[in-house]
Amino acid sequence: MVTNVTIPPNLYCVLHPKKGVLINTFMLENRTLKPNVFSLKNHQNHVLFRRNPFGRILTFDYMSEGKNFTIVGAGLVGSLLAIYLSKRGYKVTMYERRPDMRKNTISAGRSINLALSDRGWRGLEGVGIDGEVRKIGIAMKGREIHNLDGTIGFQPYGKHHQANYSVSRGALHCLLMDLAEKQGAKIYFDERCTHVDLKTATATFENTISKDGQLSVSKIKSDRIFGTDGNFSASRLAVQLGTDRFSYSQTYLAHGYKELTITPNAKGDFA
């Protein structure tokens, strides 16, 4: 349950996790919250407090410790979500249809690097892993424009020290999985989701590595299921087909994708 209330900037309230009634208040004198999220544990309940930058809105998140969460898909979004949830005390298990890219050589798909800007950094900063990601990134302060008259112009991406960061998608993916496991999340690979039962919160997985010609099938029940399985998502399909009055649209790009490699010239310069 999440409740929003307007309060004085330095007044904090504690509500009963189940009844939602006020059971305690306390004041913070001459203090600011760094970070803007902190928690109190009372019995088996986990209460998170958040303040917006103006200190007027406080958000209470009530959690029961020990809940099991299943994440379908261990890509960039799934791995980052696993870090967030694990840091809040949940038991998180991810299921990924592909092999572990940290141990196997698999196709990288579109090899273009990711360009991380403010929105991406905020997601990483939320769980305190932005410093780890900066170690594998390359600062891009701007771009050079080759004009028709042969001159070159520079267009900065920001002011002074500001820059976008170029990060290898594969390297970032591996790092996020490492950090998710470090927080206690479990990852099972070669597990393709074939069905999600929304009523019972049960996901069905088919192991893609056959044993004696047989594919093993497992049904996993959890308290919550998060679908982050991207293209051809089984979890999204379950919502689309299994939810009444659920509207959606699906379109396809009219063009395809082609990756080109432009090698340097004989002197090693740009061609």
Side-chain angles (χ1 to χ4, degrees), residues 46-62:
H46 196 181
V47 185
L48 285 180
F49 298 80
R50 289 188 182 82
R51 295 180 65 185
N52 73 352
F54 303 101
R56 299 298 296 179
I57 301 296
L58 185 63
T59 303
F60 306 90
D61 289 353
Y62 304 104

Side-chain angles (χ1 to χ4, degrees), residues 77-97:
V77 174
S79 298
L80 182 59
L81 176 61
I83 297 173
Y84 269 91
L85 294 175
S86 296
K87 278 180 169 286
R88 294 188 180 185
Y90 290 111
K91 296 178 181 179
V92 180
T93 306
M94 292 189 285
Y95 294 85
E96 170 60 45
R97 65 179 176 85

Side-chain angles (χ1 to χ4, degrees), residues 9 44 50 56 70 90-91 117 121 131 148 150 165 167 173 176 180 186 195 213 225 228 230 245 263:
Q44 294 182 349
R50 289 188 182 82
R56 299 298 296 179
T70 294
Y90 290 111
K91 296 178 181 179
S117 56
W121 286 119
L148 295 177
Y165 277 74
V167 180
H173 190 181
L176 290 177
K186 295 181 179 179
H195 179 68
I225 297 177
T228 62
R245 302 178 64 83
T263 59

Side-chain angles (χ1 to χ4, degrees), residues 153-184:
F154 179 74
Q155 296 181 348
Y157 288 139
K159 299 178 180 179
H160 307 298
H161 65 283
Q162 293 178 330
N164 290 338
Y165 277 74
S166 175
V167 180
S168 164
R169 183 184 182 91
L172 178 60
H173 190 181
C174 291
L175 176 61
L176 290 177
M177 287 192 292
D178 286 341
L179 294 175
E181 289 180 327
K182 186 177 180 180
Q183 291 298 326

Side-chain angles (χ1 to χ4, degrees), residues 133-144:
V133 177
R134 289 185 191 276
K135 295 177 182 179
I136 62 174
I138 300 174
M140 301 184 296
K141 297 183 178 180
R143 58 187 171 188
E144 289 189 342

